[in-house]
Amino acid sequence: MRPLGGMITLITGATSGIGQACAELFADAGSDIIAVGRRTERLESLACSIEQKSGVRVLPITCDVRNRQAVQDALGHLPQKWQPVDILLNNAGLARGLAPIYQGSFDDWDEMVQTNLVGLLNVLRVVLPGMVERQKGTVINISSIAGREVYPNGNVYCATKHAVRALSQAMQLDLCGSGVRVTNIDPGMVETEFSLVRFHGNTERAASVYTGMTPLTGHDVAEVALFCATRPPHVSIHDVLVMPRDQASTTLVHRRT
Ligand code: NDP
Ligand code: 8X3
């Protein structure tokens, strides 16, 4: 019996990076997967490859987490057999730009706040009541080292991740006694599409973020998430900080150049 056999895991941001790695690893552990993201083709090819490899069912859902109505329509009206979600992985998120606060772009700010904070709330508000009603469930929120420290020019991204971390703590209070546990995971640098998105598709600038150091992979973070999700039901891992060995803080990174 695989540790997540018979369970359903809903993952936001499953088309890439940490979310995709979680979808693959949680499926290997036996969980059926609801994979949410905006890029339909990627979701469909991920669903095919996971179903073939892991023998679980995958429900791909194209949805922008910023769109509250779309989230309610899609996730609030899941086919009946998909409704009892056991594990919710709030992972969809992004950084846009890296500029001093007095030069930041309103569009970048809106996108980060609407995705990282409001989008997470949109999903949470739809999925959580069912967990509370069933008196069981695991919620894993992906925050960041940027939710513990701020760094120059990281202003609004850091603020959104501090907010996710605060929400994780608030959820742990509000859900105490409900049977639902909440884990906050704060990764340091992970090589995904994150920097490509942050720098609006500038591949050279994105690659330079990881020059001379060994970042985490999405799989590294997925392994941490899987460990948290597979603890016995009476155990709740509230908080995890997972860093590359080469990174001591947001501002101290050892590079072999
Ligand atoms: P990626 O860019 O590789 O993945 C981001 C995922 O979020 C994609 O699947 C993307 O899917 C999805 N997403 C973005 N916006 C939306 C939206 N509006 N609606 C639905 N899905 C959305 O980056 P990572 O895997 O690195 O990032 C995952 C999480 O990890 C983020 O919350 C990020 O802040 C956090 N994190 C990342 C770190 C890093 O160094 N990479 C470190 C610490 C935390 P699509 O575009 O298809 O919608
Ligand atoms: C992503 C890590 O340090 O680039 O959350 O903000 S960092």
Side-chain angles (χ1 to χ4, degrees):
M1 183 70 175
R2 294 186 282 180
L4 298 182
M7 294 200 188
I8 297 172
T9 302
L10 191 159
I11 302 172
T12 66
T15 55
S16 163
I18 296 170
Q20 181 180 333
C22 287
E24 290 164 349
L25 198 65
F26 279 52
D28 279 350
S31 180
D32 291 328
I33 304 289
I34 303 173
V36 178
R38 292 168 301 177
R39 287 171 286 182
T40 307
E41 272 178 29
R42 283 208 190 190
L43 287 173
E44 281 169 0
S45 86
L46 179 73
C48 273
S49 77
I50 288 180
E51 286 187 343
Q52 274 174 16
K53 179 168 175 280
S54 306
V56 300
R57 298 172 305 170
V58 180
L59 179 65
I61 294 187
T62 304
C63 182
D64 186 329
V65 296
R66 293 171 296 178
N67 183 333
R68 181 164 297 153
Q69 191 59 52
V71 170
Q72 285 170 351
D73 291 346
L75 304 185
H77 298 90
L78 291 168
Q80 199 163 1
K81 66 181 179 189
W82 288 96
Q83 284 176 13
V85 171
D86 295 286
I87 301 164
L88 168 62
L89 234 148
N90 280 315
N91 163 77
L94 43 69
R96 283 291 198 192
L98 189 67
I101 194 80
Y102 55 88
Q103 288 175 344
S105 139
F106 280 118
D107 287 344
D108 286 351
W109 291 357
D110 286 346
E111 195 174 356
M112 289 186 277
V113 172
Q114 287 300 318
T115 308
N116 301 357
L117 178 55
V118 180
L120 183 145
L121 289 169
N122 289 341
V123 173
L124 199 61
R125 187 62 184 83
V126 171
V127 177
L128 207 45
M131 289 185 170
V132 172
E133 202 178 304
R134 293 186 294 279
Q135 297 178 32
K136 67 176 176 139
T138 300
V139 179
I140 300 175
N141 293 331
I142 304 294
S143 177
S144 168
I145 180 66
R148 297 184 185 220
E149 298 173 18
V150 289
Y151 54 89
N153 304 327
N155 42 63
V156 175
Y157 177 69
C158 295
T160 64
K161 289 299 180 177
H162 274 68
V164 171
R165 185 169 168 72
L167 272 175
S168 297
Q169 291 170 350
M171 288 168 68
Q172 285 157 358
L173 300 186
D174 292 355
L175 291 165
C176 186
S178 71
V180 180
R181 59 187 177 180
V182 179
T183 295
N184 186 82
I185 299 181
D186 291 333
M189 293 161 75
V190 191
E191 191 163 13
T192 61
E193 293 179 11
F194 177 85
S195 293
L196 197 61
V197 171
R198 166 168 251 172
F199 299 121
H200 296 276
N202 183 332
T203 45
E204 222 168 286
R205 197 164 174 206
S208 74
V209 172
Y210 312 105
T211 302
M213 57 89 63
T214 307
L216 299 172
T217 64
H219 182 78
D220 294 326
V221 180
E223 284 191 316
V224 172
L226 182 64
F227 178 81
C228 296
T230 52
R231 291 312 85 208
H234 67 285
V235 177
S236 176
I237 300 193
H238 275 200
D239 206 9
V240 181
L241 174 64
V242 52
M243 301 289 281
R245 189 193 49 196
D246 290 340
Q247 184 182 15
S249 71
T250 51
T251 50
L252 183 60
V253 178
H254 178 71
R255 297 182 194 274
R256 295 162 199 83
T257 46

